Amino acid sequence: QKREISNFDYLMYLNTLAGRSYNDYMQYPVFPWVLADYHSEILDLTNPHTFRDLSKPMGAQTVERKRKFIQRFSEVEKSEGDLPVQCHYCTHYSSAIIVASYLVRMEPFTHTFCSLQGGSFDVADRMFHSVKSTWESASRDNMSDVRELTPEFFYLPEFLTNANHFELGCMQDGTVLGDVQLPPWADGDPHKFILLHRKALESDYVSAHLHRWIDLIFGHKQHGSAAVEAVNTYHPYFYGDKVDLNNIKDPLIKSTILGFISNFGQIPKQV
């Protein structure tokens, strides 16, 4: 509020408080999608419609998508043994594979991604290749995709280029995967994309609404009745405080839960 710290620095501080770290892909710092405009020739940061609705999670960015997730919540079994499992999302907004897929064009993330994929790159059409199509998938089109972003989207143009000339494959429409496709307003320049994207993060609109996203990820709308109302509940295995692994005696169940968390991600500690 006093403009003594940037939104970027504040989000990094919150991530650190919540136990997120660059040293753990499963609990990597999580940053929000801040824009909804990936099609205009010029980015207008004075227009509210340019921005994503920061008061809603990625699963509720459109009315239709929100309705489907609320319906799923009401249809899911109430409990699994002693554990209530009713939730809106069975996937997560940040996981090791999401982080590695975003940063796959740079080592050591290339190696990590291939390790998580069983030793090779994924099918080309599923690889991160376009900012616009990734936004459309996470905000509208794909019911199993609610991913947010990583800090690199706001400071590191290198992750958007295939400088190492990795053979990432060829999409069904014949497009050979190379550099990440950028929105028209970036003019094909990764440095311009990062500059404008960071400007968007630090804009007056985001500064005025960022606390609403923080409530969802780090604050009081993270779980409980406030999360249900905000369409922001995840599978209970994602919440570290809901599963006490020390009390689980069955090694098979324990390894299943650990595998689930390592594959799908973990909710930050509530700040």
Side-chain angles (χ1 to χ4, degrees):
Q1 287 180 338
K2 294 180 180 177
R3 296 183 182 267
E4 292 174 3
I5 186 173
S6 67
N7 290 336
F8 182 92
D9 288 338
Y10 186 51
L11 286 172
M12 283 304 299
Y13 178 68
L14 288 177
N15 269 287
T16 304
L17 281 182
R20 313 295 283 189
S21 165
Y22 280 119
N23 298 321
D24 184 350
Y25 292 174
M26 287 187 288
Q27 298 191 77
Y28 206 76
V30 56
F31 269 60
W33 287 96
V34 292
L35 294 173
D37 181 355
Y38 298 97
H39 55 269
S40 297
E41 294 291 333
I42 295 172
L43 190 64
D44 181 3
L45 296 179
T46 63
N47 183 354
H49 296 296
T50 297
F51 297 91
R52 164 255 181 105
D53 187 341
L54 287 158
S55 69
K56 295 184 176 73
M58 290 305 290
Q61 289 296 307
T62 70
V63 174
E64 177 62 14
R65 189 167 155 94
K66 180 180 178 181
R67 184 190 64 75
K68 285 179 182 175
F69 279 119
I70 291 172
Q71 184 181 351
R72 175 190 285 179
F73 181 88
S74 64
E75 289 171 355
V76 170
E77 287 294 324
K78 295 287 190 292
S79 62
E80 191 176 282
D82 297 330
L83 201 63
V85 294
Q86 200 171 32
C87 63
H88 296 104
Y89 314 115
C90 295
T91 54
H92 198 256
Y93 49 77
S94 177
S95 66
I97 194 66
I98 289 171
V99 171
S101 69
Y102 278 147
L103 306 174
V104 70
R105 290 163 178 79
M106 300 189 310
E107 290 289 14
F109 302 98
T110 315
H111 179 77
T112 302
F113 183 84
C114 290
S115 297
L116 291 168
Q117 284 290 337
S120 62
F121 292 119
D122 198 359
V123 175
D125 286 82
R126 289 204 298 258
M127 297 278 286
F128 172 52
H129 65 277
S130 158
V131 178
K132 179 176 181 278
S133 66
T134 302
W135 159 254
E136 289 170 350
S137 171
S139 66
R140 188 187 70 200
D141 296 340
N142 188 344
M143 289 293 283
S144 62
D145 183 2
V146 292
R147 70 190 126 165
E148 294 279 7
L149 300 180
T150 63
E152 287 81 1
F153 276 81
F154 300 94
Y155 70 84
L156 191 69
E158 286 78 11
F159 88 95
L160 297 164
T161 61
N162 187 20
N164 293 312
H165 305 293
F166 293 119
E167 293 187 10
L168 302 171
C170 191
M171 296 172 65
Q172 283 184 343
D173 64 4
T175 306
V176 177
L177 252 61
D179 298 346
V180 176
Q181 294 168 15
L182 302 175
W185 46 258
D187 295 328
D189 182 350
H191 289 83
K192 186 172 182 181
F193 172 83
I194 295 293
L195 177 71
L196 291 174
H197 205 216
R198 181 65 174 267
K199 257 189 170 175
L201 178 66
E202 305 300 340
S203 67
D204 289 341
Y205 179 91
V206 172
S207 296
H209 295 86
L210 188 58
H211 64 285
R212 296 180 179 277
W213 182 82
I214 289 168
D215 286 343
L216 295 168
I217 307 299
F218 302 107
H220 76 287
K221 291 183 180 177
Q222 196 191 70
H223 50 67
S225 58
V228 174
E229 198 174 323
V231 194
N232 191 43
T233 63
Y234 296 81
H235 193 284
Y237 289 169
F238 297 155
Y239 298 88
D241 58 347
K242 288 191 181 179
V243 182
D244 187 357
L245 289 170
N246 295 323
N247 286 336
I248 297 173
K249 300 291 183 271
D250 188 324
L252 185 61
I253 294 175
K254 196 169 187 174
S255 67
T256 300
I257 293 173
L258 283 170
F260 196 90
I261 294 167
S262 67
N263 278 323
F264 293 110
Q266 200 165 14
I267 300 285
K269 290 176 187 168
Q270 194 171 30
V271 176

